[in-house]
Amino acid sequence: MPALRARPSPRSRGLALVVVATFAAGALRDSPLDRPTDAAWPAVNQWDARLEAEYAEFVARLGDAVEARRCHRLAACLRDPTANLTYEPAVDATLDLHLDCADLPYVLRAYFSFKRRLPFGFVAGTRGEGRDPRYAVGIAPTSYRTWRDYPTPRALLRGVVGQVHSGMYRMAPGVEGSDFYPLRVAPGVVRPGAIYYDPNGHVLVVARVRPDGAVYLIDGHPDGSLTWKRFSAAFAIGTARLGGGFKAFRPLRLVGAEVTRATNAELSDFDGVGQYARRDDPGGPDGGGYHAWVRTA
């Protein structure tokens, strides 16, 4: 005669739910994201070619997941061990992020910096000509923040979302205190992790460059969703004054207690002229102008 299984009583089911909730709350409290920043995020490494390549792979793998529609929001992508190159259950199980297009590059860079114990900082304030800082001209930084200005890594990730906007990308190549610099458009230079700034106020993250030169990007939206886009004439072309085009993060260094940004002269892939000289170029193998030139280059 088969053994009879006792059905759990409502009380025992309730106790089980309490245990699960208590465990989840404990995991949240114990997450490295909620530990003091000094302990959870010692910047013992420096950005170099190896870590920049790993960052590119990190973004590329997230892009694969977005393209395949395995995840539609960044937190969900980072909680997926098949999508997140740096996945750690103790950290990523408790992630909760809501961001738009301007936030996305900063949060990706901050998150990777936290995981790889790298310095991270960003422009926290700007000045320029115009009422709306997102569309002003002649923008320059007025203040900065670093990871050490936040009590916990989670506070930093949330703080970045509340502070950055698309105007941070709208700086001319000669503004060396900026977070970004214009790239030389060439194979292996424009790669996953780079960004494209559309001067109409939109920011996208490069996630794939095919051998034929086609560029694919992750697009963040105000509702927090992520979509997959192909670079095309749908994206406006930026001028040098408006800081448009393909850009990359300036590598940060920790020198003693000071965080410094790489200068243009130190960057082998910096090009403050090339993209902008091609802005109105009608040439290209198919007469497609700038966008066709990007693919060919």
Side-chain angles (χ1 to χ4, degrees):
M1 181 177 180
L4 297 177
R5 290 187 179 178
R7 296 181 62 186
S9 68
R11 182 174 181 276
S12 64
R13 287 197 298 269
L15 288 173
L17 291 173
V18 169
V19 169
V20 170
T22 302
F23 176 81
L28 184 63
R29 284 194 302 272
D30 294 337
S31 170
L33 286 169
D34 299 301
R35 294 173 189 163
T37 299
D38 287 347
W41 193 339
V44 295
N45 297 315
Q46 300 277 27
W47 285 101
D48 57 20
R50 179 184 65 82
L51 283 164
E52 290 287 1
E54 186 178 347
Y55 179 66
E57 176 59 25
F58 164 71
V59 175
R61 193 173 297 187
L62 291 173
D64 291 344
V66 173
E67 182 194 20
R69 299 184 179 180
R70 299 203 310 271
C71 53
H72 302 279
R73 297 175 184 275
L74 181 59
C77 294
L78 294 175
R79 288 195 297 263
D80 180 350
T82 68
N84 183 356
L85 183 69
T86 70
Y87 179 77
E88 298 174 88
V91 176
D92 302 308
T94 64
L95 270 177
D96 181 21
L97 299 167
H98 186 88
L99 42 83
D100 63 15
C101 70
D103 304 323
L104 180 60
Y106 281 100
V107 171
L108 288 173
R109 191 76 167 183
Y111 172 89
F112 185 85
S113 298
F114 164 60
K115 284 297 191 72
R116 294 297 180 255
R117 306 300 185 257
L118 293 158
F120 174 77
F122 63 98
V123 172
T126 62
R127 57 176 168 78
E129 301 171 21
R131 292 185 178 181
D132 189 334
R134 297 173 301 168
Y135 302 104
V137 295
I139 292 183
T142 58
S143 62
Y144 300 89
R145 301 205 80 178
T146 76
W147 80 105
R148 294 179 299 197
D149 292 321
Y150 295 85
T152 66
R154 191 187 302 276
L156 179 141
L157 292 173
R158 290 175 174 171
V160 167
V161 170
Q163 287 186 277
V164 303
H165 55 76
S166 58
M168 272 71 174
Y169 303 84
R170 202 177 178 86
M171 297 187 196
V175 181
E176 298 194 271
S178 61
D179 289 327
F180 304 93
Y181 65 95
L183 287 168
R184 184 175 77 256
V185 177
V189 176
V190 176
R191 60 178 178 173
I195 63 104
Y196 186 82
Y197 174 60
D198 176 331
N200 289 330
H202 202 50
V203 186
L204 303 98
V205 179
V206 175
R208 182 184 303 156
V209 181
R210 292 194 329 200
D212 65 359
V215 180
Y216 291 84
L217 312 101
I218 303 172
D219 192 2
H221 302 279
D223 66 355
S225 63
L226 304 176
T227 56
W228 184 251
K229 299 285 180 67
R230 178 172 174 164
F231 183 67
S232 70
F235 302 110
I237 305 167
T239 63
R241 187 180 186 214
L242 300 181
F246 289 99
K247 313 178 86 167
F249 276 95
R250 289 185 184 275
L252 300 184
R253 291 189 299 266
L254 189 60
V255 181
E258 183 181 0
V259 177
T260 64
R261 286 166 165 73
T263 65
N264 293 344
E266 296 174 299
L267 298 164
S268 62
D269 53 359
F270 168 84
D271 186 350
V273 176
Q275 293 188 67
Y276 308 117
R278 294 284 183 168
R279 180 176 181 271
D280 299 314
D281 185 357
D286 59 0
Y290 172 83
H291 298 87
W293 170 78
V294 167
R295 180 166 178 169
T296 303

